[in-house]
């Protein structure tokens, strides 16, 4: 008789704890439309190429509207970024067939000298130094810090 009561009490405690934990999770996530945090969250946070292209177009159009750069410079920058994207895709296709060792060697050789993005932008659209810095700042992806702190306990706080 005592064992049956003990089993029922333990079962009730387990069910109560599970209910409370799921309830707390639901309350913590209330109102948010995004995905629930979990192991796949890191891949879902990556920007999609369409989003990146849309971000570039919006940022360049805003700079043209503000008068920072001209519409002709915007068109040159769009062509420049389209060419860079084509080059990047060609490199990815080329690296697909490489062994990991060959890929490492290729990447080390390719990035031996760190690319100077601001200078490339400046040259491509005939921009001044201030305009190139404004374009680089506008194109930088938005950084939204995690309000709960870092994702990994080993990472420093922002």
């Amino acid at each position: 008789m005592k064992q049956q009561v003990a089993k029922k009490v333990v079962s009730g405690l387990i069910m109560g704890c599970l209910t409370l934990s799921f309830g707390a999770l639901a309350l913590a996530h209330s109102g948010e439309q995004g995905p629930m945090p979990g192991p796949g969250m890191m891949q879902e946070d990556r920007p999609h190429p369409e989003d990146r292209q849309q971000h570039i177009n919006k940022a360049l159009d805003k700079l043209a509207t503000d008068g920072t750069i001209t519409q002709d410079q915007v068109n040159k920058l769009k062509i420049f970024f389209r060419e860079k994207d084509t080059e990047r895709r060609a490199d990815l296709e080329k690296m697909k067939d490489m062994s990991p060792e060959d890929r490492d060697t290729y990447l080390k050789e390719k990035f031996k000298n760190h690319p100077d993005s601001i200078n490339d932008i400046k040259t491509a659209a005939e921009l001044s130094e201030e305009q190139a810095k404004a374009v680089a700042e506008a194109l930088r992806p938005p950084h939204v810090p995690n309000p709960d702190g870092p994702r990994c306990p080993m990472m420093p706080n922002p």
Side-chain angles (χ1 to χ4, degrees):
M1 180 78 174
K2 285 186 178 182
Q3 285 183 340
Q4 289 178 343
V5 172
K7 285 181 182 179
K8 287 182 181 181
V9 168
V10 169
S11 296
L13 285 173
I14 290 174
M15 293 301 291
C17 289
L18 285 174
T19 304
L20 284 175
S21 65
F22 285 128
L25 182 62
L27 287 174
H29 188 66
S30 65
E32 290 182 28
Q33 294 297 324
M36 297 273 296
M41 189 72 168
M42 296 297 271
Q43 290 181 351
E44 292 172 7
D45 284 349
R46 292 184 187 157
H48 297 286
E50 306 85 41
D51 296 340
R52 185 174 59 236
Q53 189 64 40
Q54 190 177 29
H55 172 70
I56 289 171
N57 289 338
K58 280 183 185 178
L60 292 176
D61 290 340
K62 183 173 180 347
L63 287 171
T65 304
D66 294 346
T68 307
I69 58 177
T70 65
Q71 189 60 44
D72 184 46
Q73 290 170 325
V74 168
N75 295 336
K76 288 179 182 179
L77 284 169
K78 286 181 180 180
I79 291 169
F80 170 75
F81 287 117
R82 225 176 287 127
E83 289 172 355
K84 282 289 188 188
D85 191 47
T86 304
E87 288 176 21
R88 183 185 60 81
R89 288 175 192 249
D91 280 346
L92 290 174
E93 281 298 318
K94 184 177 177 182
M95 288 189 303
K96 273 185 182 177
D97 299 329
M98 292 182 180
S99 68
E101 297 82 21
D102 291 341
R103 192 176 305 127
D104 288 343
T105 305
Y106 174 75
L107 289 173
K108 284 178 185 174
E109 187 65 34
K110 181 175 171 105
F111 294 109
K112 202 176 250 185
N113 298 324
H114 191 69
D116 185 8
S117 301
I118 292 179
N119 197 25
D120 292 344
I121 290 170
K122 221 169 90 172
T123 305
E126 301 166 2
L127 301 173
S128 68
E129 187 71 30
E130 295 81 26
Q131 288 175 320
K133 286 182 180 179
V135 169
E137 185 65 33
L139 294 179
R140 186 168 290 124
H143 175 70
V144 181
N146 188 353
D148 300 328
R151 292 176 189 232
C152 174
M154 300 302 288
M155 292 176 58
N157 285 326

